[in-house]
Amino acid sequence: MPTFTGDEALSYDKRIGKLVPGYELLHHTTTAQLSVTLDQDATILVIGAGTGKDIIELAKHNAGWQFIAQDISADMLTIADQNFTNLGLSDRVTIHLGPIKEATYQADAALCLLVLHFVKDNGDKAELLKQIGLNLRAGGQLFLADLMQPDTDFERAAQLHYCQKELGLTDVGAQTMRHHFQEAFYPVSGARLHELTSLTGFCSPTLYFKALGFSAHAIAKGQ
């Protein structure tokens, strides 16, 4: 799994919007669901918080929400911490570097957006979902967005076409993305996602977003 260090961390926010069709809409639809399912003083666990962009936008939306920013990249969290300080949000955010392996927190909701496809399905995906479940209260919702296995033979080509023609991805970026599709990403099918969530104490996933290979699901933790 990449750790996004150095220049990769610094350039992440500029690159990600060119790689994920519907990136902004994904976040808007996720925020909308959080708004109608969470109390004003809820705590949100953000897995793979990166530079903190998701938390910053959510903090603007609701002044009472508290956040746990988890990531395995110290460089990304350093950027996030500085962003939180600059915006006066530090008192609302707990920084957690590294995996969450025990029931350290009891969050009301968890976000895991564009993270799981970097994790191998050799037990590591299940372990990450288990970690999230341990730190999520019973009945709490996990909002999971990920690159999924393609539904058609041409879906990956359509992704690359859209990212280049509509989002401004360069030819070099497209070549890198093709390589990652083969070597660096570990997407699963919808059926496998159902298996993984069932194995790790979650209910069946409910699809709420889909755009050219990327899907997002709301998944309740079992009672």
Side-chain angles (χ1 to χ4, degrees), residues 182-214:
Q182 298 297 323
E183 304 293 339
F185 297 153
Y186 308 95
V188 296
S189 66
R192 178 56 178 158
L193 178 61
H194 276 73
E195 291 178 353
L196 286 167
T197 53
S198 177
L199 287 169
T200 52
F202 286 93
C203 301
S204 295
T206 299
L207 181 72
Y208 70 89
F209 171 91
K210 182 171 176 58
L212 289 175
F214 290 92

PDB file of all heavy atoms in Angstrom, residues 182-214:
ATOM      1  N   GLN A 182      -3.020  -2.570 -13.319  1.00  0.00           N
ATOM      2  CA  GLN A 182      -2.487  -3.927 -13.403  1.00  0.00           C
ATOM      3  C   GLN A 182      -1.651  -4.336 -12.197  1.00  0.00           C
ATOM      4  O   GLN A 182      -1.655  -5.506 -11.804  1.00  0.00           O
ATOM      5  CB  GLN A 182      -1.625  -4.050 -14.677  1.00  0.00           C
ATOM      6  CG  GLN A 182      -2.385  -3.822 -15.968  1.00  0.00           C
ATOM      7  CD  GLN A 182      -3.472  -4.841 -16.203  1.00  0.00           C
ATOM      8  OE1 GLN A 182      -3.307  -6.019 -15.889  1.00  0.00           O
ATOM      9  NE2 GLN A 182      -4.592  -4.402 -16.765  1.00  0.00           N
ATOM     10  N   GLU A 183      -0.941  -3.363 -11.614  1.00  0.00           N
ATOM     11  CA  GLU A 183       0.089  -3.716 -10.639  1.00  0.00           C
ATOM     12  C   GLU A 183      -0.120  -3.179  -9.224  1.00  0.00           C
ATOM     13  O   GLU A 183       0.413  -3.749  -8.271  1.00  0.00           O
ATOM     14  CB  GLU A 183       1.456  -3.215 -11.139  1.00  0.00           C
ATOM     15  CG  GLU A 183       1.855  -3.729 -12.515  1.00  0.00           C
ATOM     16  CD  GLU A 183       2.108  -5.221 -12.533  1.00  0.00           C
ATOM     17  OE1 GLU A 183       2.373  -5.792 -11.461  1.00  0.00           O
ATOM     18  OE2 GLU A 183       2.031  -5.813 -13.627  1.00  0.00           O
ATOM     19  N   ALA A 184      -0.861  -2.090  -9.073  1.00  0.00           N
ATOM     20  CA  ALA A 184      -0.877  -1.415  -7.772  1.00  0.00           C
ATOM     21  C   ALA A 184      -2.246  -1.362  -7.112  1.00  0.00           C
ATOM     22  O   ALA A 184      -2.344  -1.005  -5.936  1.00  0.00           O
ATOM     23  CB  ALA A 184      -0.343   0.024  -7.924  1.00  0.00           C
ATOM     24  N   PHE A 185      -3.312  -1.694  -7.858  1.00  0.00           N
ATOM     25  CA  PHE A 185      -4.662  -1.647  -7.311  1.00  0.00           C
ATOM     26  C   PHE A 185      -5.188  -3.068  -7.124  1.00  0.00           C
ATOM     27  O   PHE A 185      -4.877  -3.964  -7.907  1.00  0.00           O
ATOM     28  CB  PHE A 185      -5.608  -0.879  -8.238  1.00  0.00           C
ATOM     29  CG  PHE A 185      -5.253   0.574  -8.432  1.00  0.00           C
ATOM     30  CD1 PHE A 185      -5.625   1.232  -9.591  1.00  0.00           C
ATOM     31  CD2 PHE A 185      -4.553   1.288  -7.466  1.00  0.00           C
ATOM     32  CE1 PHE A 185      -5.309   2.565  -9.794  1.00  0.00           C
ATOM     33  CE2 PHE A 185      -4.234   2.617  -7.653  1.00  0.00           C
ATOM     34  CZ  PHE A 185      -4.605   3.268  -8.821  1.00  0.00           C
ATOM     35  N   TYR A 186      -6.027  -3.229  -6.119  1.00  0.00           N
ATOM     36  CA  TYR A 186      -6.599  -4.541  -5.806  1.00  0.00           C
ATOM     37  C   TYR A 186      -8.113  -4.419  -5.636  1.00  0.00           C
ATOM     38  O   TYR A 186      -8.647  -4.611  -4.541  1.00  0.00           O
ATOM     39  CB  TYR A 186      -5.946  -5.113  -4.550  1.00  0.00           C
ATOM     40  CG  TYR A 186      -4.434  -5.115  -4.611  1.00  0.00           C
ATOM     41  CD1 TYR A 186      -3.697  -4.070  -4.052  1.00  0.00           C
ATOM     42  CD2 TYR A 186      -3.762  -6.134  -5.270  1.00  0.00           C
ATOM     43  CE1 TYR A 186      -2.310  -4.057  -4.143  1.00  0.00           C
ATOM     44  CE2 TYR A 186      -2.371  -6.127  -5.359  1.00  0.00           C
ATOM     45  CZ  TYR A 186      -1.662  -5.080  -4.793  1.00  0.00           C
ATOM     46  OH  TYR A 186      -0.300  -5.070  -4.891  1.00  0.00           O
ATOM     47  N   PRO A 187      -8.817  -4.082  -6.732  1.00  0.00           N
ATOM     48  CA  PRO A 187     -10.265  -3.923  -6.637  1.00  0.00           C
ATOM     49  C   PRO A 187     -10.967  -5.263  -6.453  1.00  0.00           C
ATOM     50  O   PRO A 187     -10.445  -6.312  -6.851  1.00  0.00           O
ATOM     51  CB  PRO A 187     -10.632  -3.293  -7.992  1.00  0.00           C
ATOM     52  CG  PRO A 187      -9.580  -3.787  -8.930  1.00  0.00           C
ATOM     53  CD  PRO A 187      -8.318  -3.875  -8.111  1.00  0.00           C
ATOM     54  N   VAL A 188     -12.142  -5.219  -5.855  1.00  0.00           N
ATOM     55  CA  VAL A 188     -12.935  -6.435  -5.666  1.00  0.00           C
ATOM     56  C   VAL A 188     -14.275  -6.268  -6.377  1.00  0.00           C
ATOM     57  O   VAL A 188     -14.676  -5.163  -6.738  1.00  0.00           O
ATOM     58  CB  VAL A 188     -13.170  -6.740  -4.170  1.00  0.00           C
ATOM     59  CG1 VAL A 188     -11.855  -7.021  -3.472  1.00  0.00           C
ATOM     60  CG2 VAL A 188     -13.923  -5.610  -3.485  1.00  0.00           C
ATOM     61  N   SER A 189     -14.956  -7.362  -6.559  1.00  0.00           N
ATOM     62  CA  SER A 189     -16.301  -7.334  -7.133  1.00  0.00           C
ATOM     63  C   SER A 189     -17.312  -6.952  -6.052  1.00  0.00           C
ATOM     64  O   SER A 189     -17.009  -6.977  -4.847  1.00  0.00           O
ATOM     65  CB  SER A 189     -16.655  -8.709  -7.688  1.00  0.00           C
ATOM     66  OG  SER A 189     -16.743  -9.657  -6.632  1.00  0.00           O
ATOM     67  N   GLY A 190     -18.521  -6.631  -6.487  1.00  0.00           N
ATOM     68  CA  GLY A 190     -19.578  -6.347  -5.525  1.00  0.00           C
ATOM     69  C   GLY A 190     -19.867  -7.536  -4.633  1.00  0.00           C
ATOM     70  O   GLY A 190     -20.104  -7.391  -3.425  1.00  0.00           O
ATOM     71  N   ALA A 191     -19.818  -8.735  -5.216  1.00  0.00           N
ATOM     72  CA  ALA A 191     -20.074  -9.943  -4.436  1.00  0.00           C
ATOM     73  C   ALA A 191     -18.999 -10.146  -3.365  1.00  0.00           C
ATOM     74  O   ALA A 191     -19.302 -10.513  -2.221  1.00  0.00           O
ATOM     75  CB  ALA A 191     -20.131 -11.157  -5.357  1.00  0.00           C
ATOM     76  N   ARG A 192     -17.741  -9.881  -3.735  1.00  0.00           N
ATOM     77  CA  ARG A 192     -16.658 -10.032  -2.759  1.00  0.00           C
ATOM     78  C   ARG A 192     -16.766  -8.973  -1.657  1.00  0.00           C
ATOM     79  O   ARG A 192     -16.482  -9.266  -0.487  1.00  0.00           O
ATOM     80  CB  ARG A 192     -15.304  -9.919  -3.470  1.00  0.00           C
ATOM     81  CG  ARG A 192     -14.096 -10.016  -2.543  1.00  0.00           C
ATOM     82  CD  ARG A 192     -14.093 -11.278  -1.715  1.00  0.00           C
ATOM     83  NE  ARG A 192     -12.909 -11.359  -0.870  1.00  0.00           N
ATOM     84  CZ  ARG A 192     -12.828 -12.107   0.229  1.00  0.00           C
ATOM     85  NH1 ARG A 192     -13.872 -12.855   0.610  1.00  0.00           N
ATOM     86  NH2 ARG A 192     -11.719 -12.127   0.940  1.00  0.00           N
ATOM     87  N   LEU A 193     -17.186  -7.776  -2.010  1.00  0.00           N
ATOM     88  CA  LEU A 193     -17.376  -6.746  -0.980  1.00  0.00           C
ATOM     89  C   LEU A 193     -18.426  -7.192   0.027  1.00  0.00           C
ATOM     90  O   LEU A 193     -18.251  -7.006   1.241  1.00  0.00           O
ATOM     91  CB  LEU A 193     -17.780  -5.425  -1.626  1.00  0.00           C
ATOM     92  CG  LEU A 193     -18.045  -4.271  -0.649  1.00  0.00           C
ATOM     93  CD1 LEU A 193     -16.786  -3.941   0.157  1.00  0.00           C
ATOM     94  CD2 LEU A 193     -18.539  -3.035  -1.391  1.00  0.00           C
ATOM     95  N   HIS A 194     -19.516  -7.783  -0.453  1.00  0.00           N
ATOM     96  CA  HIS A 194     -20.539  -8.303   0.464  1.00  0.00           C
ATOM     97  C   HIS A 194     -19.942  -9.372   1.389  1.00  0.00           C
ATOM     98  O   HIS A 194     -20.246  -9.403   2.589  1.00  0.00           O
ATOM     99  CB  HIS A 194     -21.709  -8.897  -0.329  1.00  0.00           C
ATOM    100  CG  HIS A 194     -22.725  -7.893  -0.763  1.00  0.00           C
ATOM    101  ND1 HIS A 194     -22.488  -6.984  -1.776  1.00  0.00           N
ATOM    102  CD2 HIS A 194     -23.984  -7.636  -0.322  1.00  0.00           C
ATOM    103  CE1 HIS A 194     -23.553  -6.226  -1.951  1.00  0.00           C
ATOM    104  NE2 HIS A 194     -24.476  -6.595  -1.081  1.00  0.00           N
ATOM    105  N   GLU A 195     -19.084 -10.239   0.843  1.00  0.00           N
ATOM    106  CA  GLU A 195     -18.448 -11.263   1.668  1.00  0.00           C
ATOM    107  C   GLU A 195     -17.568 -10.631   2.740  1.00  0.00           C
ATOM    108  O   GLU A 195     -17.608 -11.039   3.914  1.00  0.00           O
ATOM    109  CB  GLU A 195     -17.599 -12.179   0.798  1.00  0.00           C
ATOM    110  CG  GLU A 195     -18.383 -13.079  -0.137  1.00  0.00           C
ATOM    111  CD  GLU A 195     -17.478 -13.925  -1.016  1.00  0.00           C
ATOM    112  OE1 GLU A 195     -16.246 -13.712  -0.999  1.00  0.00           O
ATOM    113  OE2 GLU A 195     -18.003 -14.794  -1.715  1.00  0.00           O
ATOM    114  N   LEU A 196     -16.773  -9.648   2.342  1.00  0.00           N
ATOM    115  CA  LEU A 196     -15.845  -9.014   3.280  1.00  0.00           C
ATOM    116  C   LEU A 196     -16.583  -8.294   4.404  1.00  0.00           C
ATOM    117  O   LEU A 196     -16.184  -8.386   5.577  1.00  0.00           O
ATOM    118  CB  LEU A 196     -14.944  -8.029   2.535  1.00  0.00           C
ATOM    119  CG  LEU A 196     -13.846  -8.640   1.673  1.00  0.00           C
ATOM    120  CD1 LEU A 196     -13.236  -7.589   0.749  1.00  0.00           C
ATOM    121  CD2 LEU A 196     -12.759  -9.259   2.545  1.00  0.00           C
ATOM    122  N   THR A 197     -17.635  -7.582   4.065  1.00  0.00           N
ATOM    123  CA  THR A 197     -18.366  -6.855   5.108  1.00  0.00           C
ATOM    124  C   THR A 197     -19.085  -7.825   6.043  1.00  0.00           C
ATOM    125  O   THR A 197     -19.133  -7.601   7.259  1.00  0.00           O
ATOM    126  CB  THR A 197     -19.357  -5.860   4.493  1.00  0.00           C
ATOM    127  OG1 THR A 197     -20.213  -6.533   3.547  1.00  0.00           O
ATOM    128  CG2 THR A 197     -18.626  -4.735   3.785  1.00  0.00           C
ATOM    129  N   SER A 198     -19.608  -8.909   5.498  1.00  0.00           N
ATOM    130  CA  SER A 198     -20.269  -9.911   6.338  1.00  0.00           C
ATOM    131  C   SER A 198     -19.281 -10.566   7.292  1.00  0.00           C
ATOM    132  O   SER A 198     -19.587 -10.788   8.471  1.00  0.00           O
ATOM    133  CB  SER A 198     -20.929 -10.968   5.450  1.00  0.00           C
ATOM    134  OG  SER A 198     -21.526 -11.990   6.229  1.00  0.00           O
ATOM    135  N   LEU A 199     -18.080 -10.846   6.801  1.00  0.00           N
ATOM    136  CA  LEU A 199     -17.055 -11.492   7.618  1.00  0.00           C
ATOM    137  C   LEU A 199     -16.547 -10.602   8.743  1.00  0.00           C
ATOM    138  O   LEU A 199     -16.027 -11.098   9.750  1.00  0.00           O
ATOM    139  CB  LEU A 199     -15.867 -11.904   6.739  1.00  0.00           C
ATOM    140  CG  LEU A 199     -16.066 -13.100   5.818  1.00  0.00           C
ATOM    141  CD1 LEU A 199     -14.900 -13.207   4.836  1.00  0.00           C
ATOM    142  CD2 LEU A 199     -16.186 -14.382   6.635  1.00  0.00           C
ATOM    143  N   THR A 200     -16.669  -9.285   8.583  1.00  0.00           N
ATOM    144  CA  THR A 200     -16.072  -8.349   9.541  1.00  0.00           C
ATOM    145  C   THR A 200     -17.113  -7.609  10.391  1.00  0.00           C
ATOM    146  O   THR A 200     -16.809  -6.587  10.997  1.00  0.00           O
ATOM    147  CB  THR A 200     -15.192  -7.327   8.806  1.00  0.00           C
ATOM    148  OG1 THR A 200     -15.935  -6.714   7.742  1.00  0.00           O
ATOM    149  CG2 THR A 200     -13.970  -8.019   8.213  1.00  0.00           C
ATOM    150  N   GLY A 201     -18.332  -8.144  10.448  1.00  0.00           N
ATOM    151  CA  GLY A 201     -19.321  -7.617  11.379  1.00  0.00           C
ATOM    152  C   GLY A 201     -20.170  -6.473  10.869  1.00  0.00           C
ATOM    153  O   GLY A 201     -20.812  -5.771  11.664  1.00  0.00           O
ATOM    154  N   PHE A 202     -20.205  -6.282   9.553  1.00  0.00           N
ATOM    155  CA  PHE A 202     -21.030  -5.239   8.970  1.00  0.00           C
ATOM    156  C   PHE A 202     -22.251  -5.846   8.280  1.00  0.00           C
ATOM    157  O   PHE A 202     -22.266  -7.026   7.924  1.00  0.00           O
ATOM    158  CB  PHE A 202     -20.228  -4.429   7.945  1.00  0.00           C
ATOM    159  CG  PHE A 202     -19.225  -3.501   8.548  1.00  0.00           C
ATOM    160  CD1 PHE A 202     -17.905  -3.913   8.739  1.00  0.00           C
ATOM    161  CD2 PHE A 202     -19.577  -2.214   8.932  1.00  0.00           C
ATOM    162  CE1 PHE A 202     -16.969  -3.051   9.299  1.00  0.00           C
ATOM    163  CE2 PHE A 202     -18.647  -1.354   9.490  1.00  0.00           C
ATOM    164  CZ  PHE A 202     -17.337  -1.771   9.676  1.00  0.00           C
ATOM    165  N   CYS A 203     -23.247  -5.003   8.067  1.00  0.00           N
ATOM    166  CA  CYS A 203     -24.432  -5.405   7.317  1.00  0.00           C
ATOM    167  C   CYS A 203     -24.145  -5.314   5.817  1.00  0.00           C
ATOM    168  O   CYS A 203     -23.052  -4.924   5.407  1.00  0.00           O
ATOM    169  CB  CYS A 203     -25.615  -4.516   7.698  1.00  0.00           C
ATOM    170  SG  CYS A 203     -26.037  -4.575   9.460  1.00  0.00           S
ATOM    171  N   SER A 204     -25.118  -5.644   5.005  1.00  0.00           N
ATOM    172  CA  SER A 204     -24.941  -5.605   3.557  1.00  0.00           C
ATOM    173  C   SER A 204     -24.742  -4.179   3.071  1.00  0.00           C
ATOM    174  O   SER A 204     -25.447  -3.266   3.514  1.00  0.00           O
ATOM    175  CB  SER A 204     -26.154  -6.217   2.856  1.00  0.00           C
ATOM    176  OG  SER A 204     -26.270  -7.583   3.160  1.00  0.00           O
ATOM    177  N   PRO A 205     -23.815  -3.944   2.148  1.00  0.00           N
ATOM    178  CA  PRO A 205     -23.570  -2.601   1.619  1.00  0.00           C
ATOM    179  C   PRO A 205     -24.749  -2.112   0.771  1.00  0.00           C
ATOM    180  O   PRO A 205     -25.383  -2.887   0.058  1.00  0.00           O
ATOM    181  CB  PRO A 205     -22.321  -2.790   0.744  1.00  0.00           C
ATOM    182  CG  PRO A 205     -21.726  -4.088   1.165  1.00  0.00           C
ATOM    183  CD  PRO A 205     -22.862  -4.937   1.614  1.00  0.00           C
ATOM    184  N   THR A 206     -25.014  -0.806   0.865  1.00  0.00           N
ATOM    185  CA  THR A 206     -26.032  -0.162   0.045  1.00  0.00           C
ATOM    186  C   THR A 206     -25.356   0.853  -0.873  1.00  0.00           C
ATOM    187  O   THR A 206     -24.727   1.801  -0.400  1.00  0.00           O
ATOM    188  CB  THR A 206     -27.080   0.559   0.911  1.00  0.00           C
ATOM    189  OG1 THR A 206     -27.725  -0.401   1.754  1.00  0.00           O
ATOM    190  CG2 THR A 206     -28.124   1.246   0.037  1.00  0.00           C
ATOM    191  N   LEU A 207     -25.467   0.647  -2.172  1.00  0.00           N
ATOM    192  CA  LEU A 207     -24.828   1.528  -3.145  1.00  0.00           C
ATOM    193  C   LEU A 207     -25.475   2.908  -3.134  1.00  0.00           C
ATOM    194  O   LEU A 207     -26.694   3.027  -3.157  1.00  0.00           O
ATOM    195  CB  LEU A 207     -24.943   0.922  -4.544  1.00  0.00           C
ATOM    196  CG  LEU A 207     -24.306   1.698  -5.697  1.00  0.00           C
ATOM    197  CD1 LEU A 207     -22.790   1.614  -5.618  1.00  0.00           C
ATOM    198  CD2 LEU A 207     -24.791   1.135  -7.036  1.00  0.00           C
ATOM    199  N   TYR A 208     -24.638   3.987  -3.084  1.00  0.00           N
ATOM    200  CA  TYR A 208     -25.200   5.331  -3.183  1.00  0.00           C
ATOM    201  C   TYR A 208     -24.485   6.207  -4.213  1.00  0.00           C
ATOM    202  O   TYR A 208     -24.905   7.334  -4.471  1.00  0.00           O
ATOM    203  CB  TYR A 208     -25.218   6.028  -1.822  1.00  0.00           C
ATOM    204  CG  TYR A 208     -23.873   6.434  -1.256  1.00  0.00           C
ATOM    205  CD1 TYR A 208     -23.312   7.673  -1.546  1.00  0.00           C
ATOM    206  CD2 TYR A 208     -23.181   5.609  -0.370  1.00  0.00           C
ATOM    207  CE1 TYR A 208     -22.092   8.067  -1.004  1.00  0.00           C
ATOM    208  CE2 TYR A 208     -21.969   5.986   0.179  1.00  0.00           C
ATOM    209  CZ  TYR A 208     -21.423   7.218  -0.146  1.00  0.00           C
ATOM    210  OH  TYR A 208     -20.211   7.608   0.395  1.00  0.00           O
ATOM    211  N   PHE A 209     -23.427   5.690  -4.829  1.00  0.00           N
ATOM    212  CA  PHE A 209     -22.715   6.459  -5.849  1.00  0.00           C
ATOM    213  C   PHE A 209     -21.985   5.485  -6.776  1.00  0.00           C
ATOM    214  O   PHE A 209     -21.430   4.491  -6.322  1.00  0.00           O
ATOM    215  CB  PHE A 209     -21.696   7.400  -5.191  1.00  0.00           C
ATOM    216  CG  PHE A 209     -20.765   8.086  -6.167  1.00  0.00           C
ATOM    217  CD1 PHE A 209     -21.096   9.317  -6.714  1.00  0.00           C
ATOM    218  CD2 PHE A 209     -19.553   7.499  -6.528  1.00  0.00           C
ATOM    219  CE1 PHE A 209     -20.242   9.945  -7.620  1.00  0.00           C
ATOM    220  CE2 PHE A 209     -18.702   8.127  -7.423  1.00  0.00           C
ATOM    221  CZ  PHE A 209     -19.055   9.350  -7.969  1.00  0.00           C
ATOM    222  N   LYS A 210     -21.981   5.812  -8.088  1.00  0.00           N
ATOM    223  CA  LYS A 210     -21.207   5.006  -9.037  1.00  0.00           C
ATOM    224  C   LYS A 210     -20.833   5.869 -10.226  1.00  0.00           C
ATOM    225  O   LYS A 210     -21.694   6.571 -10.779  1.00  0.00           O
ATOM    226  CB  LYS A 210     -21.996   3.790  -9.506  1.00  0.00           C
ATOM    227  CG  LYS A 210     -21.211   2.889 -10.464  1.00  0.00           C
ATOM    228  CD  LYS A 210     -21.925   1.596 -10.727  1.00  0.00           C
ATOM    229  CE  LYS A 210     -21.196   0.750 -11.762  1.00  0.00           C
ATOM    230  NZ  LYS A 210     -19.801   0.434 -11.354  1.00  0.00           N
ATOM    231  N   ALA A 211     -19.567   5.827 -10.613  1.00  0.00           N
ATOM    232  CA  ALA A 211     -19.101   6.563 -11.787  1.00  0.00           C
ATOM    233  C   ALA A 211     -17.859   5.897 -12.350  1.00  0.00           C
ATOM    234  O   ALA A 211     -16.789   5.957 -11.738  1.00  0.00           O
ATOM    235  CB  ALA A 211     -18.804   8.021 -11.428  1.00  0.00           C
ATOM    236  N   LEU A 212     -18.012   5.239 -13.503  1.00  0.00           N
ATOM    237  CA  LEU A 212     -16.882   4.697 -14.252  1.00  0.00           C
ATOM    238  C   LEU A 212     -15.856   3.976 -13.376  1.00  0.00           C
ATOM    239  O   LEU A 212     -14.708   4.380 -13.251  1.00  0.00           O
ATOM    240  CB  LEU A 212     -16.200   5.808 -15.046  1.00  0.00           C
ATOM    241  CG  LEU A 212     -16.986   6.335 -16.248  1.00  0.00           C
ATOM    242  CD1 LEU A 212     -16.252   7.520 -16.876  1.00  0.00           C
ATOM    243  CD2 LEU A 212     -17.189   5.233 -17.282  1.00  0.00           C
ATOM    244  N   GLY A 213     -16.287   2.912 -12.767  1.00  0.00           N
ATOM    245  CA  GLY A 213     -15.359   2.078 -12.014  1.00  0.00           C
ATOM    246  C   GLY A 213     -15.311   2.350 -10.529  1.00  0.00           C
ATOM    247  O   GLY A 213     -14.887   1.496  -9.753  1.00  0.00           O
ATOM    248  N   PHE A 214     -15.727   3.531 -10.117  1.00  0.00           N
ATOM    249  CA  PHE A 214     -15.733   3.880  -8.698  1.00  0.00           C
ATOM    250  C   PHE A 214     -17.145   3.771  -8.143  1.00  0.00           C
ATOM    251  O   PHE A 214     -18.104   4.256  -8.752  1.00  0.00           O
ATOM    252  CB  PHE A 214     -15.201   5.298  -8.481  1.00  0.00           C
ATOM    253  CG  PHE A 214     -13.725   5.424  -8.747  1.00  0.00           C
ATOM    254  CD1 PHE A 214     -13.257   5.788  -9.996  1.00  0.00           C
ATOM    255  CD2 PHE A 214     -12.800   5.151  -7.745  1.00  0.00           C
ATOM    256  CE1 PHE A 214     -11.894   5.895 -10.251  1.00  0.00           C
ATOM    257  CE2 PHE A 214     -11.440   5.255  -7.990  1.00  0.00           C
ATOM    258  CZ  PHE A 214     -10.984   5.620  -9.242  1.00  0.00           C
TER     259      PHE A 214
END
